[in-house]
Amino acid sequence: MVNQNTLAMDVGFTHEDFAALLDKYDYHFSPGDVVAGTVFSLEPRGALIDIGAKTAAYIPIQEMSINRIDAPEEVLQSNETREFFILADENEDGQLTLSIRRIEYMRAWERVRQLQAEDATVRSLVFATNRGGALVRIEGLRGFIPGSHISTRKPKEELVGEELPLKFLEVDEERNRLVLSHRRALVERKMNRLEVGEVVIGTVRGIKPYGAFIDIGGVSGLLHISEISHDHIDTPHSVFNVNDEVKVMIIDLDAERGRISLSTKQLEPEPGDMVKNPQVVYDKAEEMAAKYRENMKQQQQGTTATAVEAPPAVEEPVAAEEAIEEVPPAVEEPVAAEEAIEETPQAVEEIPEVVEAE
């Protein structure tokens, strides 16, 4: 027989007691925290996540991945436990907004900073072009290649879908900028096979008041006006035309800046030969280059041989500042939170606008 007194004593834990117990063990969550959570409900445009709060937290679909997805099932599975970033504080219903995307972006920035520190060469597909250059993705971040740092004869528009080797020019999380160089990657690779004092055959691809740009095996080197001839030259146009085939000697390799400096002046048998008879210069190029290398060797050995200095490294004046001003942000804005809210379950109709923690 059941003792009624004992039963009455056992049923002494009220709803108020239960709520107080929850409050006692409730954890405080703040925007910017990274917490563990378990997926317990996948919705058409988001998911409900148990992170140990009184109310299930919500993650909208646009915050589920650094890449664009069409359905939550592409990223999350029911009962899966993983890390989430708390994106926004509790709404009127006590519900927090979560993000996986922010965690992926934080890790992506950390990774590209590491790659830049290692001076690594990365490869990526061009997915779009604009007036200033080309766009690629590096670790999920959107990277920009200024037009002045694209080394190819193709029109920019034809680069879409092509994989390019790239070096980092700027990694700035605070300003949301990731800038890369195709030219520097090619020059570095080419430099590994080139030597100062080597004679190479190239093609004139561009002429500027300060010199001519010579294509040597897919990379561009500068033949500065001061290194064309011992005789004074008013303009490189008086010696070269675009598409001329020329013999030049490498006098400087700057891997850090991605620059190759060239000379025909050092190949002249007699001062002024490049102006009077360029063919003589080309015919005796190897012989004059050998003398140049011998002078370099003597200089390194501390003899009194006259040092031949490389001209100032001048780049084609496609202003770096101008190109960088137009860099698209590396972190793309997600689809507006309002769009996701329209299709969210009843409990999260009043999710506030997605905001970043200070």
Side-chain angles (χ1 to χ4, degrees), residues 125-136 142-147 150 152 154-162 164 326 328:
L125 291 174
V126 175
F127 71 86
T129 60
N130 60 20
R131 184 169 61 89
L135 301 175
V136 295
R142 181 167 57 185
F144 178 65
I145 313 171
I150 298 174
T152 177
K154 293 182 179 179
K156 281 185 303 185
E157 297 73 20
E158 294 183 14
L159 290 175
V160 175
E162 185 168 329
L164 302 178
E326 302 175 358

Side-chain angles (χ1 to χ4, degrees), residues 146 148 316-325:
S148 60
E316 185 173 1
V318 176
E321 293 78 8
E322 178 183 339
I324 292 178
E325 285 298 324

Side-chain angles (χ1 to χ4, degrees), residues 46-354:
L48 296 173
I49 312 295
D50 179 9
I51 61 169
K54 291 186 202 176
T55 305
Y58 182 73
I59 179 167
I61 191 169
Q62 74 270 14
E63 289 295 334
M64 289 185 181
S65 176
I66 201 169
N67 301 308
R68 183 155 190 148
I69 61 170
D70 297 319
E73 290 81 2
E74 295 178 37
V75 176
L76 298 175
Q77 297 178 353
S78 293
N79 299 318
E80 173 188 2
T81 299
R82 61 175 299 162
E83 287 185 326
F84 295 90
F85 180 92
I86 298 180
L87 193 62
D89 216 338
E90 295 179 353
N91 62 8
E92 294 176 0
D93 297 323
Q95 189 169 55
L96 294 162
T97 304
L98 305 180
S99 174
I100 297 170
R101 177 175 172 269
R102 297 305 169 93
I103 293 175
E104 292 180 341
Y105 273 130
M106 288 188 294
R107 289 172 180 167
W109 279 114
E110 183 179 348
R111 177 61 179 150
V112 295
R113 281 193 295 269
Q114 179 185 352
L115 290 170
Q116 183 191 38
E118 296 170 354
D119 195 27
T121 298
V122 296
R123 300 187 69 87
S124 183
L125 291 174
V126 175
F127 71 86
T129 60
N130 60 20
R131 184 169 61 89
L135 301 175
V136 295
R137 293 199 189 281
I138 307 294
E139 298 292 326
L141 298 173
R142 181 167 57 185
F144 178 65
I145 313 171
S148 60
H149 281 270
I150 298 174
S151 290
T152 177
R153 300 176 193 175
K154 293 182 179 179
K156 281 185 303 185
E157 297 73 20
E158 294 183 14
L159 290 175
V160 175
E162 185 168 329
E163 186 179 67
L164 302 178
L166 303 165
K167 301 291 285 189
F168 291 95
L169 291 180
E170 180 181 1
V171 175
D172 192 333
E173 181 178 4
E174 185 176 337
R175 299 173 68 195
N176 200 13
R177 289 147 70 98
L178 180 59
V179 187
L180 303 112
S181 174
H182 175 229
R183 185 190 68 199
R184 206 185 130 196
L186 290 184
V187 169
E188 182 183 89
R189 186 168 64 186
K190 185 71 176 177
M191 281 182 179
N192 292 333
R193 303 192 296 268
L194 296 175
E195 294 180 4
V196 172
E198 180 181 355
V199 174
V200 293
I201 297 175
T203 305
V204 178
R205 292 302 178 193
I207 299 177
K208 300 292 180 181
Y210 53 83
F213 287 91
I214 314 297
D215 183 315
I216 51 172
V219 295
S220 181
L222 175 64
L223 175 56
H224 192 265
I225 190 169
S226 64
E227 282 295 326
I228 293 176
S229 176
H230 285 85
D231 278 6
H232 174 73
I233 294 174
D234 292 324
T235 170
H237 282 284
S238 63
V239 181
F240 303 111
N241 293 308
V242 173
N243 293 326
D244 280 356
E245 187 174 272
V246 296
K247 267 189 180 182
V248 291
M249 184 177 68
I250 299 168
I251 56 172
D252 188 56
L253 294 168
D254 188 338
E256 185 175 344
R257 294 184 176 182
R259 294 173 178 171
I260 301 174
S261 298
L262 307 171
S263 177
T264 50
K265 172 181 176 178
Q266 308 300 333
L267 299 178
E268 288 184 321
E270 297 293 335
D273 278 347
M274 269 306 294
V275 178
K276 302 166 189 172
N277 189 357
Q279 191 57 49
V280 172
V281 178
Y282 301 152
D283 289 344
K284 296 192 175 183
E286 284 73 15
E287 178 184 336
M288 297 304 297
K291 292 181 180 179
Y292 176 88
R293 291 192 293 271
E294 183 61 29
N295 283 341
M296 285 182 57
K297 184 177 179 181
Q298 291 177 2
Q299 178 188 344
Q300 291 169 357
Q301 292 172 347
T303 66
T304 57
T306 304
V308 181
E309 296 184 0
V314 180
E315 270 194 289
E316 185 173 1
V318 176
E321 293 78 8
E322 178 183 339
I324 292 178
E325 285 298 324
E326 302 175 358
V327 176
V331 174
E332 301 170 65
E333 288 301 316
V335 178
E338 292 79 2
E339 293 181 22
I341 292 171
E342 291 178 7
E343 299 182 51
T344 56
Q346 185 70 28
V348 293
E349 282 183 358
E350 301 192 21
I351 290 180
E353 183 180 354
V354 174

Side-chain angles (χ1 to χ4, degrees), residues 5-14 17:
N5 292 331
T6 303
L7 182 61
M9 291 176 62
D10 290 341
V11 187
F13 196 70
T14 65
D17 294 331

